[in-house]
């Protein structure tokens, strides 16, 4: 058994945390090959100490770090311009050299240039300081930069140093391990070929089909094996010596899992699928910018014009539209239009999805004629597509109803809402959540039409249904509670409205603990009610919280930021703070003009509201 508590101590600058997380996981998951003729268990490179507490700007190393350094067999210095400038990396190197010696220090280059002496110098000065004999020190370095060793070979060099083993043996073993995955496929292929020889009387077309099916099976087998390894490695990240597995967040797992996809080089299809799936998770969590970056990682691995590229591009366009970046989303759709058309009738669903994205963008920009046209085009594509698309068609009817309502075509809106509800009741069980959504949509229609009696009746029915289906913490229940809260607020039943909005907020916090734009919605409503109750400070605090949620979800200015400022003006007017109210309306106008345009009906309506308050 080793006399050291840790196999190695990783010294690094926090700017390199992502690269360090990958290195730490690779080190602790590595199993060294057994020496020839040995039955001993494979040697492992763990535990490895990497986490440090936040340290003051000056002073000595803390007791925890000092002890960890002295209890580590090796010191690994992650070299980059950031670590070269890090005071604490230098202190850790010097302390280790005093206690353990320079020959147990290994360098792992992730960025910059060694010995450049400029801003891109990656070797910390402490790493190059002469020894006691005055002789210069040349660090033992593995260069992980893509144009040098690359991450895989650099890691093996580092492992060879830690194990005091021959590098060639580790490289050969790694290559053999990478090829083992193909062994099962090769075996399966041999069986397939024997069968094919026994069936030579099949027609050439049938032979080609068999080959294609075998290739698909091989691809699926590689995909399944690579995906399994990825999932196992992603969740096998906690080191009990330095991390508490119970405190690792979903985002931490996602971040480290995303880094693990890089290791599946040679399997681009698998990498693309995993990037796409991780991007979808980020999107569902409300982290749109990260989702977009992840989709881009997937797109970089796929053949242009393929169905996979079309679908990922549609996903990207959907995210951009949700962030209020309609022009960018439309540009993406235009760029993919030829690819979608080239797929012919097999792409009717994708064609419909593209039209739905366009419809949302037009609707958000209050270009209602084009929105209606796009929704109808989507209906036609789905109606002609093979398969059952009733549920999607119902959702399009919902959106058409909203768009008709915005166009003041209330008769057509009422027809679409009622049709959507009736269609749901034809093919869904009585307590299906989608029926609750349709009831909520109808309630919203009647609310905006000024029919509070029907709005309240339908809201109560929707809430009763969704409470039977969902627990607190489901966003769909929260949406319905927000609708009912608006009805109660309009009836000036402020205590009851506050209760509905508060319960909706509690549920959304459970659903989205790291923030979401829906939490911005409910915070705005709570702020509005608080303002009407005379609780001005609390109202303004809630509106500030809403702004934070919008900032976090959208990543930039969105029309909802302007809407929020109008609510802020309303609170300030009620408190008699007219100068601040005018400033809020002026800010709202600037935001709305920038995001929607000065002539947009949305901008005009909200500015009319400011004028009615005397704040414009």
């Amino acid at each position: 058994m080793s006399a050291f508590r840790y196999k190695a101590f990783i010294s690094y600058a926090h700017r390199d945390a992502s690269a360090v997380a990958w290195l730490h996981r690779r080190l602790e998951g590595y199993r060294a090959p057994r020496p020839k003729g040995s039955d001993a268990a494979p040697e492992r490179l763990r535990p490895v100490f990497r986490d440090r507490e936040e340290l003051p700007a000056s002073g000595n190393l803390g007791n925890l770090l000092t002890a960890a350094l002295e209890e580590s067999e090796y010191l690994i210095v992650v070299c980059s311009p950031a670590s070269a400038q890090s005071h604490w990396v230098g202190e850790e190197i010097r302390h280790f050299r005093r206690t353990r010696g320079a020959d147990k220090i290994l360098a792992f280059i992730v960025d910059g240039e060694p010995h450049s002496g400029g801003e891109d110098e990656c070797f910390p000065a402490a790493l190059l300081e002469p020894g006691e004999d005055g002789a210069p020190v040349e660090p033992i370095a593995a260069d992980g930069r893509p144009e040098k060793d690359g991450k895989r070979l650099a890691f093996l060099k580092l492992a060879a140093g830690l194990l005091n083993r021959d590098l060639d043996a580790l490289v050969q073993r790694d290559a053999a391990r990478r090829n083992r995955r193909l062994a099962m496929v090769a075996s399966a292929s041999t069986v397939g070929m024997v069968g094919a020889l026994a069936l030579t009387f099949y027609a050439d077309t049938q032979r080609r089909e068999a080959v294609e099916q075998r290739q698909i099976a091989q691809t699926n087998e590689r995909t399944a094996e690579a995906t399994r390894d990825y999932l196992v490695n992603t969740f096998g990240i906690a080191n009990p010596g330095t991390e508490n597995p119970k405190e690792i967040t979903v985002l931490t797992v996602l971040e480290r899992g995303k880094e693990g996809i890089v290791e599946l080089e040679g399997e681009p299809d698998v990498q693309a699928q995993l990037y796409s799936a991780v991007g979808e998770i980020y999107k569902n969590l409300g982290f749109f910018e990260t989702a977009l970056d992840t989709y881009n990682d997937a797109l970089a691995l796929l053949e242009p014009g393929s169905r996979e590229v079309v679908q990922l591009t549609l996903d990207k366009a959907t995210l951009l539209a949700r962030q209020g970046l309609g022009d960018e989303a439309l540009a993406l759709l235009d760029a993919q239009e030829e690819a979608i058309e080239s797929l012919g009738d097999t792409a009717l669903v994708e064609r419909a999805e593209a039209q739905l994205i366009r419809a949302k963008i037009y609707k958000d920009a209050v270009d209602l004629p084009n929105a209606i046209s796009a929704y109808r085009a989507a209906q036609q594509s789905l109606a002609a597509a093979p398969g059952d698309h009733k549920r999607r068609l119902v959702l399009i009817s919902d959106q058409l109803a909203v768009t008709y309502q915005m166009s003041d075509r209330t008769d057509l809106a009422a027809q679409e809402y009622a049709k959507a509800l009736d269609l749901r009741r034809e093919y869904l069980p009585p307590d299906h959540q989608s029926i609750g959504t349709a009831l909520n949509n109808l309630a919203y229609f009647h609310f905006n039409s000024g029919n509070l009696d029907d709005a309240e009746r339908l809201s109560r029915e929707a809430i009763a249904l969704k409470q039977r289906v969902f627990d607190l913490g489901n966003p769909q229940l929260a949406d319905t509670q927000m609708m009912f809260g608006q009805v109660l607020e309009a009836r000036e039943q402020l205590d009851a409205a506050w209760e509905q909005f508060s319960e909706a907020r509690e549920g959304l916090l459970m659903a989205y603990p790291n923030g979401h734009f829906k939490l911005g919605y409910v915070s705005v409503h709570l702020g509005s009610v608080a303002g009407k109750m005379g609780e001005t400070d609390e109202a303004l605090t809630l509106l500030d919280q809403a702004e934070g949620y919008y900032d976090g979800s959208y990543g930039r200015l969105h029309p909802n930021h302007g809407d929020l400022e109008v609510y802020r003006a309303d609170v300030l007017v009620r408190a008699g703070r007219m100068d601040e109210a005018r400033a809020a309306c002026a800010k709202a106008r600037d935001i709305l003009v920038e995001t929607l345009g000065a002539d947009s009906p949305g901008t005009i309506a909200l500015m009319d509201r400011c004028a009615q308050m005397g704040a414009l």
Side-chain angles (χ1 to χ4, degrees):
M1 180 177 293
S2 172
F4 298 96
R5 181 180 179 187
Y6 300 107
K7 183 67 179 179
F9 181 111
I10 302 180
S11 180
Y12 66 100
H14 283 292
R15 191 179 302 174
D16 300 322
S18 178
V20 172
W22 173 87
L23 176 61
H24 182 259
R25 179 164 48 81
R26 286 298 308 272
L27 286 168
E28 294 212 326
Y30 186 72
R31 294 164 60 93
R34 295 186 183 94
K36 289 184 178 181
S38 172
D39 293 328
E43 189 174 352
R44 307 299 292 268
L45 298 177
R46 64 184 187 191
V48 174
F49 186 95
R50 74 176 171 96
D51 287 337
R52 61 156 73 96
E53 298 173 332
E54 289 297 321
L55 296 174
S58 61
N60 298 322
L61 292 172
N63 292 335
L64 173 64
L65 291 184
T66 300
L69 280 165
E70 294 175 357
E71 293 173 351
S72 297
E73 185 177 358
Y74 286 88
L75 175 68
I76 299 171
V77 181
V78 174
C79 298
S80 71
S83 64
Q85 298 298 319
S86 170
H87 167 76
W88 291 113
V89 170
E91 288 299 303
E92 289 164 356
I93 293 170
R94 292 185 181 97
H95 185 88
F96 192 88
R97 286 183 65 169
R98 285 196 300 269
T99 57
R100 301 280 297 113
D103 60 328
K104 296 292 185 180
I105 300 178
L106 306 175
F108 189 85
I109 302 172
V110 297
D111 193 15
E113 285 291 336
H115 303 299
S116 75
E119 292 183 356
D120 60 347
E121 173 63 61
C122 67
F123 282 154
L127 197 62
L128 305 175
E129 289 174 356
E132 294 181 358
D133 57 0
V137 173
E138 179 60 34
I140 302 172
D143 197 333
R145 293 175 296 171
E147 69 274 18
K148 298 298 181 179
D149 294 332
K151 292 172 70 174
R152 183 177 295 277
L153 180 57
F155 170 78
L156 292 175
K157 286 185 176 181
L158 192 64
L162 292 169
L163 295 165
N164 195 23
R165 300 278 286 276
D166 180 65
L167 174 61
D168 287 342
L170 299 192
V171 170
Q172 291 173 14
R173 184 261 192 176
D174 184 69
R177 181 176 179 272
R178 285 167 59 81
N179 288 332
R180 268 199 297 270
R181 291 181 181 177
L182 300 178
M184 292 175 60
V185 177
S187 176
S189 299
T190 301
V191 174
M193 285 188 289
V194 171
L197 289 171
L199 300 172
T200 54
F201 59 88
Y202 272 99
D204 186 58
T205 55
Q206 292 171 310
R207 181 186 60 79
R208 286 199 301 269
E209 181 180 352
V211 171
E212 290 172 1
Q213 291 301 319
R214 186 164 64 250
Q215 290 172 340
I216 292 171
Q218 291 172 357
T219 299
N220 290 340
E221 185 172 2
R222 290 196 301 273
T223 299
E225 185 176 356
T227 303
R228 176 193 173 279
D229 289 348
Y230 163 78
L231 289 172
V232 170
N233 291 336
T234 295
F235 287 92
I237 59 176
N239 172 15
T242 60
E243 295 178 319
N244 182 350
K246 294 182 179 179
E247 296 177 0
I248 295 175
T249 66
V250 171
L251 286 178
T252 299
V253 173
L254 280 174
E255 180 182 346
R256 296 180 182 180
K258 186 180 175 185
E259 294 165 2
I261 299 175
V262 178
E263 296 178 41
L264 296 172
E265 54 186 336
E267 301 283 357
D269 291 341
V270 179
Q271 286 180 300
Q273 290 180 38
L274 291 173
Y275 277 130
S276 177
V278 171
E280 189 75 9
I281 295 170
Y282 276 122
K283 182 190 75 173
N284 291 337
L285 291 173
F287 295 96
F288 295 158
E289 293 293 335
T290 310
L292 284 172
D293 290 342
T294 310
Y295 285 146
N296 287 333
D297 290 336
L299 286 167
L301 296 162
L302 296 170
E303 288 293 325
S306 66
R307 186 180 297 274
E308 291 79 6
V309 167
V310 168
Q311 187 56 59
L312 273 171
T313 303
L314 293 175
D315 290 338
K316 277 188 64 177
T318 299
L319 274 180
L320 290 169
R322 289 177 69 176
Q323 290 180 282
L325 302 175
D327 289 342
E328 291 184 36
L330 288 174
L332 271 181
L333 294 174
D334 290 342
Q336 285 298 311
E337 189 168 346
E338 184 177 343
I340 294 174
E341 291 301 319
S342 70
L343 296 174
D345 288 344
T346 65
L348 286 169
V349 173
E350 287 85 355
R351 192 176 303 162
E353 188 173 346
Q355 291 293 348
L356 287 174
I357 298 169
R358 291 181 185 274
K360 173 179 169 48
I361 294 168
Y362 293 137
K363 183 162 74 72
D364 288 348
V366 202
D367 182 356
L368 303 181
N370 274 328
I372 291 170
S373 177
Y375 280 129
R376 285 175 170 168
Q379 282 181 324
Q380 292 172 1
S381 293
L382 280 181
D388 184 357
H389 303 288
K390 289 179 182 176
R391 298 189 182 204
R392 197 69 179 272
L393 287 166
V394 164
L395 295 176
I396 296 175
S397 290
D398 288 337
Q399 293 303 317
L400 254 179
V402 172
T403 312
Y404 280 134
Q405 186 176 346
M406 294 171 67
S407 304
D408 292 328
R409 300 165 72 176
T410 55
D411 53 341
L412 293 176
Q415 290 175 22
E416 287 292 335
Y417 277 129
K419 183 173 81 173
L421 178 58
D422 290 342
L423 283 172
R424 283 178 168 96
R425 283 176 164 157
E426 282 181 14
Y427 69 89
L428 293 173
D431 269 356
H432 194 278
Q433 64 193 48
S434 187
I435 293 176
T437 298
L439 289 165
N440 197 54
N441 290 339
L442 261 176
Y444 185 74
F445 167 75
H446 287 297
F447 174 75
N448 282 323
S449 301
N451 185 352
L452 296 183
D453 289 340
D454 281 344
E456 181 172 347
R457 173 181 57 79
L458 290 162
S459 287
R460 290 185 182 276
E461 188 178 351
I463 284 181
L465 186 154
K466 291 197 174 184
Q467 284 178 333
R468 292 193 295 270
V469 176
F470 299 121
D471 293 328
L472 182 66
N474 188 286
Q476 288 201 39
L477 176 58
D479 290 344
T480 306
Q481 290 168 325
M482 280 194 281
M483 180 67 257
F484 188 32
Q486 291 179 73
V487 174
L488 295 171
E489 182 181 358
R491 288 189 178 279
E492 298 187 358
Q493 299 176 24
L494 299 182
D495 289 336
W498 179 269
E499 182 179 348
Q500 286 298 319
F501 289 137
S502 296
E503 190 165 340
R505 185 172 189 268
E506 181 183 350
L508 289 171
L509 283 169
M510 294 169 63
Y512 306 115
N514 295 296
H516 195 277
F517 59 85
K518 285 188 177 182
L519 279 161
Y521 296 164
V522 74
S523 296
V524 166
H525 289 308
L526 281 167
S528 175
V529 173
K532 292 175 180 178
M533 289 177 164
E535 301 290 343
T536 304
D537 289 343
E538 183 170 6
L540 294 175
T541 297
L542 286 162
L543 292 174
D544 287 341
Q545 291 174 0
E547 184 176 10
Y549 287 126
Y550 288 161
D551 290 344
S553 287
Y554 299 129
R556 61 192 71 197
L557 276 184
H558 186 278
N560 281 337
H561 285 91
D563 178 71
L564 181 152
E565 292 303 323
V566 176
Y567 274 96
R568 191 190 307 276
D570 182 76
V571 170
L572 293 166
V573 166
R574 293 176 186 276
R577 295 159 61 172
M578 293 304 300
D579 289 343
E580 294 173 80
R582 292 187 188 96
C585 276
K587 183 178 179 181
R589 180 183 56 215
D590 291 344
I591 293 171
L592 293 167
V593 168
E594 181 177 345
T595 57
L596 294 179
D599 298 329
S600 162
T603 300
I604 293 170
L606 287 170
M607 290 302 96
D608 284 347
R609 185 174 164 193
C610 279
Q612 292 167 9
M613 291 188 289
L616 192 65

PDB file of all heavy atoms in Angstrom, residues 321-340:
ATOM      1  N   ALA A 321     -35.672  31.847 -31.431  1.00  0.00           N
ATOM      2  CA  ALA A 321     -36.986  32.493 -31.403  1.00  0.00           C
ATOM      3  C   ALA A 321     -37.446  32.723 -29.973  1.00  0.00           C
ATOM      4  O   ALA A 321     -38.006  33.778 -29.647  1.00  0.00           O
ATOM      5  CB  ALA A 321     -37.998  31.639 -32.170  1.00  0.00           C
ATOM      6  N   ARG A 322     -37.185  31.757 -29.103  1.00  0.00           N
ATOM      7  CA  ARG A 322     -37.594  31.906 -27.706  1.00  0.00           C
ATOM      8  C   ARG A 322     -36.810  33.006 -27.002  1.00  0.00           C
ATOM      9  O   ARG A 322     -37.264  33.572 -26.020  1.00  0.00           O
ATOM     10  CB  ARG A 322     -37.426  30.576 -26.968  1.00  0.00           C
ATOM     11  CG  ARG A 322     -38.437  29.519 -27.391  1.00  0.00           C
ATOM     12  CD  ARG A 322     -38.213  28.196 -26.698  1.00  0.00           C
ATOM     13  NE  ARG A 322     -38.509  28.262 -25.284  1.00  0.00           N
ATOM     14  CZ  ARG A 322     -38.468  27.214 -24.466  1.00  0.00           C
ATOM     15  NH1 ARG A 322     -38.132  26.020 -24.959  1.00  0.00           N
ATOM     16  NH2 ARG A 322     -38.745  27.340 -23.195  1.00  0.00           N
ATOM     17  N   GLN A 323     -35.626  33.305 -27.507  1.00  0.00           N
ATOM     18  CA  GLN A 323     -34.816  34.377 -26.929  1.00  0.00           C
ATOM     19  C   GLN A 323     -35.109  35.737 -27.555  1.00  0.00           C
ATOM     20  O   GLN A 323     -34.476  36.722 -27.210  1.00  0.00           O
ATOM     21  CB  GLN A 323     -33.322  34.056 -27.104  1.00  0.00           C
ATOM     22  CG  GLN A 323     -32.849  32.902 -26.243  1.00  0.00           C
ATOM     23  CD  GLN A 323     -31.382  32.640 -26.451  1.00  0.00           C
ATOM     24  OE1 GLN A 323     -30.978  32.037 -27.445  1.00  0.00           O
ATOM     25  NE2 GLN A 323     -30.560  33.101 -25.538  1.00  0.00           N
ATOM     26  N   GLY A 324     -36.072  35.787 -28.458  1.00  0.00           N
ATOM     27  CA  GLY A 324     -36.404  37.050 -29.096  1.00  0.00           C
ATOM     28  C   GLY A 324     -35.510  37.399 -30.266  1.00  0.00           C
ATOM     29  O   GLY A 324     -35.538  38.534 -30.739  1.00  0.00           O
ATOM     30  N   LEU A 325     -34.720  36.431 -30.773  1.00  0.00           N
ATOM     31  CA  LEU A 325     -33.793  36.676 -31.887  1.00  0.00           C
ATOM     32  C   LEU A 325     -34.417  36.165 -33.176  1.00  0.00           C
ATOM     33  O   LEU A 325     -33.904  35.249 -33.833  1.00  0.00           O
ATOM     34  CB  LEU A 325     -32.454  36.001 -31.610  1.00  0.00           C
ATOM     35  CG  LEU A 325     -31.760  36.443 -30.313  1.00  0.00           C
ATOM     36  CD1 LEU A 325     -30.510  35.626 -30.072  1.00  0.00           C
ATOM     37  CD2 LEU A 325     -31.433  37.922 -30.370  1.00  0.00           C
ATOM     38  N   GLY A 326     -35.545  36.767 -33.537  1.00  0.00           N
ATOM     39  CA  GLY A 326     -36.308  36.280 -34.675  1.00  0.00           C
ATOM     40  C   GLY A 326     -35.562  36.366 -35.990  1.00  0.00           C
ATOM     41  O   GLY A 326     -35.635  35.447 -36.819  1.00  0.00           O
ATOM     42  N   ASP A 327     -34.822  37.452 -36.231  1.00  0.00           N
ATOM     43  CA  ASP A 327     -34.110  37.599 -37.504  1.00  0.00           C
ATOM     44  C   ASP A 327     -33.065  36.502 -37.682  1.00  0.00           C
ATOM     45  O   ASP A 327     -32.907  35.946 -38.779  1.00  0.00           O
ATOM     46  CB  ASP A 327     -33.449  38.978 -37.580  1.00  0.00           C
ATOM     47  CG  ASP A 327     -34.459  40.099 -37.742  1.00  0.00           C
ATOM     48  OD1 ASP A 327     -35.608  39.801 -38.138  1.00  0.00           O
ATOM     49  OD2 ASP A 327     -34.122  41.265 -37.470  1.00  0.00           O
ATOM     50  N   GLU A 328     -32.333  36.183 -36.601  1.00  0.00           N
ATOM     51  CA  GLU A 328     -31.327  35.124 -36.684  1.00  0.00           C
ATOM     52  C   GLU A 328     -31.990  33.772 -36.945  1.00  0.00           C
ATOM     53  O   GLU A 328     -31.484  32.953 -37.720  1.00  0.00           O
ATOM     54  CB  GLU A 328     -30.503  35.077 -35.401  1.00  0.00           C
ATOM     55  CG  GLU A 328     -29.598  36.278 -35.194  1.00  0.00           C
ATOM     56  CD  GLU A 328     -28.730  36.127 -33.965  1.00  0.00           C
ATOM     57  OE1 GLU A 328     -28.296  34.991 -33.686  1.00  0.00           O
ATOM     58  OE2 GLU A 328     -28.480  37.142 -33.288  1.00  0.00           O
ATOM     59  N   ALA A 329     -33.120  33.545 -36.286  1.00  0.00           N
ATOM     60  CA  ALA A 329     -33.834  32.278 -36.481  1.00  0.00           C
ATOM     61  C   ALA A 329     -34.340  32.162 -37.917  1.00  0.00           C
ATOM     62  O   ALA A 329     -34.220  31.098 -38.549  1.00  0.00           O
ATOM     63  CB  ALA A 329     -34.994  32.180 -35.495  1.00  0.00           C
ATOM     64  N   LEU A 330     -34.897  33.243 -38.459  1.00  0.00           N
ATOM     65  CA  LEU A 330     -35.388  33.207 -39.837  1.00  0.00           C
ATOM     66  C   LEU A 330     -34.251  32.972 -40.824  1.00  0.00           C
ATOM     67  O   LEU A 330     -34.419  32.252 -41.822  1.00  0.00           O
ATOM     68  CB  LEU A 330     -36.110  34.516 -40.159  1.00  0.00           C
ATOM     69  CG  LEU A 330     -37.475  34.709 -39.488  1.00  0.00           C
ATOM     70  CD1 LEU A 330     -38.013  36.101 -39.776  1.00  0.00           C
ATOM     71  CD2 LEU A 330     -38.472  33.650 -39.951  1.00  0.00           C
ATOM     72  N   ALA A 331     -33.087  33.560 -40.547  1.00  0.00           N
ATOM     73  CA  ALA A 331     -31.932  33.343 -41.423  1.00  0.00           C
ATOM     74  C   ALA A 331     -31.525  31.868 -41.434  1.00  0.00           C
ATOM     75  O   ALA A 331     -31.190  31.302 -42.488  1.00  0.00           O
ATOM     76  CB  ALA A 331     -30.763  34.215 -40.980  1.00  0.00           C
ATOM     77  N   LEU A 332     -31.549  31.235 -40.272  1.00  0.00           N
ATOM     78  CA  LEU A 332     -31.245  29.804 -40.204  1.00  0.00           C
ATOM     79  C   LEU A 332     -32.247  28.986 -41.004  1.00  0.00           C
ATOM     80  O   LEU A 332     -31.889  28.066 -41.739  1.00  0.00           O
ATOM     81  CB  LEU A 332     -31.262  29.338 -38.745  1.00  0.00           C
ATOM     82  CG  LEU A 332     -29.979  29.427 -37.932  1.00  0.00           C
ATOM     83  CD1 LEU A 332     -30.234  28.898 -36.533  1.00  0.00           C
ATOM     84  CD2 LEU A 332     -28.862  28.639 -38.583  1.00  0.00           C
ATOM     85  N   LEU A 333     -33.528  29.323 -40.854  1.00  0.00           N
ATOM     86  CA  LEU A 333     -34.566  28.591 -41.574  1.00  0.00           C
ATOM     87  C   LEU A 333     -34.422  28.776 -43.076  1.00  0.00           C
ATOM     88  O   LEU A 333     -34.591  27.826 -43.848  1.00  0.00           O
ATOM     89  CB  LEU A 333     -35.951  29.053 -41.108  1.00  0.00           C
ATOM     90  CG  LEU A 333     -36.304  28.739 -39.656  1.00  0.00           C
ATOM     91  CD1 LEU A 333     -37.633  29.378 -39.287  1.00  0.00           C
ATOM     92  CD2 LEU A 333     -36.368  27.239 -39.421  1.00  0.00           C
ATOM     93  N   ASP A 334     -34.112  29.997 -43.496  1.00  0.00           N
ATOM     94  CA  ASP A 334     -33.915  30.241 -44.927  1.00  0.00           C
ATOM     95  C   ASP A 334     -32.760  29.406 -45.465  1.00  0.00           C
ATOM     96  O   ASP A 334     -32.829  28.862 -46.577  1.00  0.00           O
ATOM     97  CB  ASP A 334     -33.644  31.724 -45.175  1.00  0.00           C
ATOM     98  CG  ASP A 334     -34.875  32.596 -44.943  1.00  0.00           C
ATOM     99  OD1 ASP A 334     -35.992  32.043 -44.924  1.00  0.00           O
ATOM    100  OD2 ASP A 334     -34.712  33.818 -44.757  1.00  0.00           O
ATOM    101  N   ALA A 335     -31.683  29.304 -44.673  1.00  0.00           N
ATOM    102  CA  ALA A 335     -30.505  28.550 -45.108  1.00  0.00           C
ATOM    103  C   ALA A 335     -30.799  27.052 -45.239  1.00  0.00           C
ATOM    104  O   ALA A 335     -30.161  26.352 -46.029  1.00  0.00           O
ATOM    105  CB  ALA A 335     -29.355  28.774 -44.131  1.00  0.00           C
ATOM    106  N   GLN A 336     -31.780  26.553 -44.471  1.00  0.00           N
ATOM    107  CA  GLN A 336     -32.097  25.126 -44.494  1.00  0.00           C
ATOM    108  C   GLN A 336     -33.279  24.802 -45.404  1.00  0.00           C
ATOM    109  O   GLN A 336     -33.621  23.624 -45.578  1.00  0.00           O
ATOM    110  CB  GLN A 336     -32.406  24.633 -43.076  1.00  0.00           C
ATOM    111  CG  GLN A 336     -31.192  24.481 -42.200  1.00  0.00           C
ATOM    112  CD  GLN A 336     -30.210  23.458 -42.743  1.00  0.00           C
ATOM    113  OE1 GLN A 336     -30.585  22.348 -43.103  1.00  0.00           O
ATOM    114  NE2 GLN A 336     -28.941  23.841 -42.807  1.00  0.00           N
ATOM    115  N   GLU A 337     -33.900  25.828 -45.989  1.00  0.00           N
ATOM    116  CA  GLU A 337     -35.112  25.576 -46.775  1.00  0.00           C
ATOM    117  C   GLU A 337     -34.847  24.641 -47.942  1.00  0.00           C
ATOM    118  O   GLU A 337     -35.617  23.711 -48.207  1.00  0.00           O
ATOM    119  CB  GLU A 337     -35.672  26.909 -47.281  1.00  0.00           C
ATOM    120  CG  GLU A 337     -37.050  26.772 -47.914  1.00  0.00           C
ATOM    121  CD  GLU A 337     -37.707  28.112 -48.135  1.00  0.00           C
ATOM    122  OE1 GLU A 337     -37.237  29.121 -47.585  1.00  0.00           O
ATOM    123  OE2 GLU A 337     -38.704  28.132 -48.877  1.00  0.00           O
ATOM    124  N   GLU A 338     -33.719  24.841 -48.625  1.00  0.00           N
ATOM    125  CA  GLU A 338     -33.386  23.979 -49.762  1.00  0.00           C
ATOM    126  C   GLU A 338     -33.156  22.541 -49.313  1.00  0.00           C
ATOM    127  O   GLU A 338     -33.589  21.589 -49.982  1.00  0.00           O
ATOM    128  CB  GLU A 338     -32.147  24.520 -50.472  1.00  0.00           C
ATOM    129  CG  GLU A 338     -31.796  23.739 -51.737  1.00  0.00           C
ATOM    130  CD  GLU A 338     -30.601  24.346 -52.471  1.00  0.00           C
ATOM    131  OE1 GLU A 338     -30.263  25.510 -52.189  1.00  0.00           O
ATOM    132  OE2 GLU A 338     -30.019  23.641 -53.320  1.00  0.00           O
ATOM    133  N   ALA A 339     -32.490  22.377 -48.167  1.00  0.00           N
ATOM    134  CA  ALA A 339     -32.242  21.022 -47.652  1.00  0.00           C
ATOM    135  C   ALA A 339     -33.555  20.326 -47.297  1.00  0.00           C
ATOM    136  O   ALA A 339     -33.728  19.129 -47.563  1.00  0.00           O
ATOM    137  CB  ALA A 339     -31.336  21.088 -46.425  1.00  0.00           C
ATOM    138  N   ILE A 340     -34.485  21.080 -46.710  1.00  0.00           N
ATOM    139  CA  ILE A 340     -35.781  20.489 -46.357  1.00  0.00           C
ATOM    140  C   ILE A 340     -36.528  20.076 -47.616  1.00  0.00           C
ATOM    141  O   ILE A 340     -37.090  18.976 -47.706  1.00  0.00           O
ATOM    142  CB  ILE A 340     -36.612  21.479 -45.527  1.00  0.00           C
ATOM    143  CG1 ILE A 340     -35.943  21.733 -44.169  1.00  0.00           C
ATOM    144  CG2 ILE A 340     -38.030  20.949 -45.310  1.00  0.00           C
ATOM    145  CD1 ILE A 340     -36.621  22.809 -43.340  1.00  0.00           C
TER     146      ILE A 340
END
